[in-house]
Amino acid sequence: MSDVKEILGSYSSDIIGTIEDELDVITPNNLQEASIYLTKAGGKMLRPALSLITAEAVGGQKENALKAGSAIELIHTFSLIHDDIMDDDDMRRGMPSVHKVWGEDVAILAGDTLFSKAFEIIINSDKELTSHAQINNALAAVADACVKICEGQALDMGFENRFDVTEDEYMEMIFKKTGALIAAATKVGAIMGGASDEVIDAMYEYGRLIGLAFQIQDDYLDLASDEETLGKPIGSDIGKGKMTIIAINGLSSAGDDSEKLLEILKDENNSQADIDLAIEILTKCGAIEYARNLAQDSVDQAKEVLEILPDSSSKQVLSDIADFVLERHS
Amino acid sequence: MSDVKEILGSYSSDIIGTIEDELDVITPNNLQEASIYLTKAGGKMLRPALSLITAEAVGGQKENALKAGSAIELIHTFSLIHDDIMDDDDMRRGMPSVHKVWGEDVAILAGDTLFSKAFEIIINSDKELTSHAQINNALAAVADACVKICEGQALDMGFENRFDVTEDEYMEMIFKKTGALIAAATKVGAIMGGASDEVIDAMYEYGRLIGLAFQIQDDYLDLASDEETLGKPIGSDIGKGKMTIIAINGLSSAGDDSEKLLEILKDENNSQADIDLAIEILTKCGAIEYARNLAQDSVDQAKEVLEILPDSSSKQVLSDIADFVLERHS
């Protein structure tokens, strides 16, 4: 499994180079620096790599999807910058977040600029590698994901101070906030790789499923990892009263303990003992296991969806990435 | 000249209907309401009307450009929402601005949503009315304008507390911040109307020129209108120390009075007497007349550019709109 990170890394330099070329022409300097900052800070590049690998897996070349994949990464970066403003998160990728360095105004603009550039980069795809129809379809996939990202963030903000969020509401939120862009990443890879409509739809579904698993794994790691690996205290979601799939399931399945769990979730000044008790409740009632199984089911389904593809090393990588989503510890 | 407003108004209902249809599906409710709010608050709809009229003037139908024109209005609205956050402007179109009603977080998201929808609406242009290539070219024009709008806003923010802004810097800023989207409006109209590359370029130039005149007229009205018509105090740009084309020209042409003018511009607590003195200096040295002539030259050039088009009532309307830019009083 460890070579998934290596494989993702092997696509990084092409993607980063494409992004840097695109952002290099932005003026004035502060806007350019704020726009390129998070790309330089480093990221997993999971989404754009998925685009390139998918293009290969459907029978195309990674070059076909290089611009569309880079655009997906720009959309991801744009959403991180704006989310960090909204959530007032001070750190990102181990560095002060964009609005902490340049202020909120420049951060809003940097996000907007990346957004614009994402569309521009796809439009400027090499016409020898991709047709107008492919470009249009890729743009449609990206625009659709962008709308969903905004809706997902709005839904997430609407969950604050609500403790009656249902599992359906939660699944819609994480699909829109996280799954939709991963699904768009694999979809544009399939489009640019020249896949049939049936395969394009299947690759969207694969992306959607690993996207859900990815988010559920985040919820799981918050309780099941350790502070050193995770880089933040265990149970911080509980401390913040966040409605994760685990909390939602726990509230409906913990029986007599539900009341105590709700009390801890509502309390803004929990002690570590409170959080430990909540984790104990969530473990005992099976909520943690429930989430873990849900994520595993998504991964299994994602791998089944891949069966539409002919066997190839790229198909195997996509299968390994699905497993990797649940193997990661941070 | 008065019928220009009527003509613009005659295109409004189609545009507003198209925008409302597009935004109607956004969830959750607060995001939808915040997204559609400024469109419902009413606007001149100058930009989308320009797209539709240009499509007609190049020999097409207004229906060809309806989606692209509506997208241009969404981009305009997106930029107003984000600019109002950055500039902390409390009012817009006679109503509290979006971030004052829903808060900054939802306002950032509403802007992002409109941005996404703008691209989506063009991508979903009726394929019987427009080809993939036309859609691609229109998207490229819009994405280019979006990047320029961000750059223009960043330049404008960079002018704060700077009193050595040159005329070239100012012209670049207003082109990017205001002219580029108006130029994109006429360009997408020409693209969707089926114009040749030469005519498309000419219509971009027409839009660029009236966009410059539009912004310079804003600077002029701040000094030459009256408070009741303008809806804000006369000379408010001077009060804020804003580097308008008039201030920039005045500082270099007012001779011995330049020092006093600079002092007033730098002072954040000017009396009305100070502002009146600045206006007197700017009048005497010819800076106000200079700006007025610059705007008039742009309008004259814009009308010359139109000569590439065959005579038609739509061509005449474009010519009247160029004049209207300098006839408006608010």
Side-chain angles (χ1 to χ4, degrees):
Chain A
M1 213 49 53
S2 69
D3 58 345
V4 165
K5 277 193 180 170
E6 264 175 51
I7 291 172
L8 294 179
S10 71
Y11 290 88
S12 286
S13 62
D14 282 349
I15 296 158
I16 293 171
T18 305
I19 289 174
E20 288 188 342
D21 284 351
E22 194 72 18
L23 303 187
D24 205 39
V25 294
I26 294 169
T27 59
N29 275 341
N30 64 335
L31 184 62
Q32 187 197 114
E33 287 163 12
S35 300
I36 205 153
Y37 175 72
L38 281 187
T39 300
K40 290 199 169 165
K44 284 187 289 287
M45 296 284 162
L46 171 67
R47 292 161 188 77
L50 276 170
S51 300
L52 274 57
I53 297 162
T54 303
E56 293 173 328
V58 303
Q61 306 295 318
K62 68 176 182 179
E63 288 73 17
N64 299 122
L66 186 55
K67 296 222 166 179
S70 302
I72 295 278
E73 182 65 16
L74 291 184
I75 295 292
H76 178 54
T77 312
F78 135 79
S79 77
L80 294 179
I81 294 174
H82 280 193
D83 281 4
D84 284 347
I85 298 171
M86 294 178 224
D87 302 339
D88 206 15
D89 277 332
D90 294 356
M91 299 293 289
R92 174 65 68 180
R93 294 182 177 167
M95 293 167 60
S97 45
V98 173
H99 68 280
K100 287 292 159 191
V101 181
W102 284 275
E104 288 197 12
D105 292 351
V106 173
I108 292 173
L109 270 184
D112 294 345
T113 305
L114 292 175
F115 203 143
S116 314
K117 279 288 179 188
F119 286 93
E120 203 164 59
I121 204 171
I122 297 180
I123 294 162
N124 294 333
S125 288
D126 191 334
K127 301 296 188 294
E128 286 177 16
L129 292 173
T130 41
S131 70
H132 278 312
Q134 282 174 306
I135 291 172
N136 265 337
N137 292 340
L139 288 165
V142 172
D144 177 67
C146 290
V147 174
K148 287 192 168 66
I149 289 170
C150 297
E151 292 183 337
Q153 173 71 0
L155 284 172
D156 197 16
M157 295 192 312
F159 287 176
E160 266 172 44
N161 303 317
R162 267 191 62 199
F163 297 93
D164 59 350
V165 175
T166 65
E167 185 172 322
D168 283 351
E169 286 181 305
Y170 171 85
M171 294 302 282
E172 183 191 356
M173 185 276 284
I174 65 167
F175 163 56
K176 288 184 167 175
K177 190 167 169 172
T178 305
L181 189 63
I182 296 181
T186 48
K187 184 174 183 174
V188 300
I191 291 168
M192 294 313 209
S196 67
D197 286 351
E198 190 190 0
V199 170
I200 290 169
D201 289 347
M203 296 315 297
Y204 185 83
E205 182 64 4
Y206 161 84
R208 186 185 74 81
L209 287 163
I210 65 168
L212 294 183
F214 192 92
Q215 186 57 51
I216 295 169
Q217 177 75 358
D218 263 3
D219 292 355
Y220 173 77
L221 287 175
D222 184 64
L223 300 181
S225 185
D226 59 88
E227 180 162 348
E228 201 183 338
T229 311
L230 198 60
K232 59 180 182 176
I234 294 308
S236 70
D237 286 344
I238 294 172
K240 289 186 229 157
K242 210 172 141 190
M243 283 290 92
T244 68
I245 186 69
I246 298 171
I248 292 166
N249 183 268
L251 286 172
S252 71
S253 66
D256 292 348
D257 291 335
S258 297
E259 210 166 314
K260 182 68 195 168
L261 180 61
L262 183 61
E263 192 185 298
I264 296 171
L265 285 166
K266 283 184 173 174
D267 187 354
E268 290 174 6
N269 300 299
N270 283 308
S271 66
Q272 189 58 46
D274 292 329
I275 290 175
D276 289 344
L277 175 57
I279 296 177
E280 199 184 308
I281 294 171
L282 291 166
T283 307
K284 202 173 105 192
C285 74
I288 295 179
E289 199 186 346
Y290 175 81
R292 186 67 182 169
N293 288 340
L294 204 60
Q296 186 64 56
D297 285 350
S298 290
V299 166
D300 292 343
Q301 284 176 49
K303 287 162 75 175
E304 268 173 46
V305 167
L306 291 178
E307 288 313 310
I308 198 171
L309 299 176
D311 284 342
S312 72
S313 59
S314 299
K315 175 183 173 181
Q316 186 57 46
V317 171
L318 291 177
S319 178
D320 290 346
I321 288 174
D323 287 326
F324 170 73
V325 166
L326 297 194
E327 295 297 326
R328 70 200 175 88
H329 300 293
S330 66
Chain B
M1 213 47 55
S2 68
D3 59 346
V4 165
K5 277 192 183 173
E6 264 174 51
I7 292 172
L8 293 180
S10 72
Y11 290 89
S12 285
S13 61
D14 281 349
I15 296 158
I16 293 172
T18 304
I19 289 175
E20 289 188 342
D21 284 350
E22 194 71 22
L23 303 187
D24 206 38
V25 294
I26 294 169
T27 60
N29 276 341
N30 65 334
L31 184 62
Q32 187 198 111
E33 287 164 11
S35 299
I36 206 153
Y37 174 73
L38 281 186
T39 300
K40 290 199 168 165
K44 284 188 289 289
M45 297 283 160
L46 171 67
R47 292 161 189 79
L50 277 170
S51 300
L52 274 56
I53 297 162
T54 304
E56 293 174 329
V58 301
Q61 306 296 317
K62 67 175 182 178
E63 286 75 17
N64 299 121
L66 185 55
K67 295 222 165 182
S70 301
I72 295 279
E73 182 65 16
L74 291 184
I75 296 292
H76 178 53
T77 312
F78 136 78
S79 78
L80 294 179
I81 294 174
H82 281 192
D83 281 5
D84 285 346
I85 299 172
M86 294 177 224
D87 302 340
D88 206 14
D89 277 331
D90 294 354
M91 300 291 290
R92 174 66 66 179
R93 295 183 177 166
M95 293 166 59
S97 45
V98 174
H99 67 280
K100 287 292 159 192
V101 181
W102 283 275
E104 288 197 13
D105 293 349
V106 172
I108 292 173
L109 270 185
D112 294 345
T113 305
L114 292 175
F115 203 143
S116 313
K117 280 287 178 188
F119 285 93
E120 204 164 58
I121 205 170
I122 297 180
I123 294 163
N124 294 332
S125 289
D126 192 334
K127 301 296 186 298
E128 286 177 16
L129 293 172
T130 40
S131 71
H132 278 312
Q134 282 174 307
I135 291 172
N136 255 317
N137 292 339
L139 288 166
V142 172
D144 178 66
C146 290
V147 174
K148 288 192 167 69
I149 289 170
C150 296
E151 292 182 337
Q153 172 72 1
L155 285 171
D156 197 15
M157 295 192 313
F159 288 175
E160 267 173 46
N161 304 316
R162 267 192 61 200
F163 298 93
D164 60 349
V165 175
T166 66
E167 184 172 322
D168 283 350
E169 287 180 304
Y170 171 86
M171 294 302 280
E172 183 191 357
M173 185 276 284
I174 64 167
F175 163 57
K176 288 184 166 175
K177 191 169 168 171
T178 305
L181 189 63
I182 296 180
T186 47
K187 183 173 184 175
V188 300
I191 291 168
M192 294 312 209
S196 67
D197 286 351
E198 190 190 2
V199 170
I200 291 169
D201 289 348
M203 295 316 297
Y204 185 84
E205 182 64 4
Y206 161 84
R208 187 185 74 81
L209 288 162
I210 65 168
L212 294 182
F214 192 93
Q215 186 57 50
I216 295 169
Q217 176 74 358
D218 262 5
D219 292 354
Y220 172 77
L221 287 175
D222 184 65
L223 300 180
S225 185
D226 58 88
E227 181 163 347
E228 201 182 340
T229 312
L230 199 58
K232 58 179 184 177
I234 294 307
S236 70
D237 286 346
I238 295 173
K240 289 186 232 162
K242 211 174 140 187
M243 284 290 92
T244 69
I245 185 70
I246 297 171
I248 292 166
N249 183 268
L251 286 172
S252 71
S253 65
D256 292 347
D257 291 334
S258 297
E259 211 166 315
K260 182 67 194 167
L261 179 62
L262 183 60
E263 191 184 300
I264 296 171
L265 285 166
K266 282 184 174 175
D267 187 354
E268 290 174 7
N269 301 298
N270 282 309
S271 66
Q272 189 58 46
D274 291 329
I275 290 175
D276 289 345
L277 174 58
I279 295 176
E280 199 184 309
I281 293 171
L282 291 166
T283 307
K284 202 174 106 191
C285 74
I288 296 177
E289 199 187 347
Y290 175 79
R292 186 71 182 165
N293 289 340
L294 204 60
Q296 186 64 56
D297 285 349
S298 290
V299 166
D300 292 343
Q301 284 176 50
K303 288 163 74 175
E304 267 174 46
V305 167
L306 291 178
E307 288 314 311
I308 197 172
L309 299 176
D311 285 342
S312 71
S313 59
S314 300
K315 175 183 174 180
Q316 186 58 46
V317 172
L318 291 176
S319 178
D320 290 345
I321 288 174
D323 287 326
F324 170 73
V325 166
L326 298 194
E327 294 299 325
R328 71 199 174 88
H329 299 294
S330 64

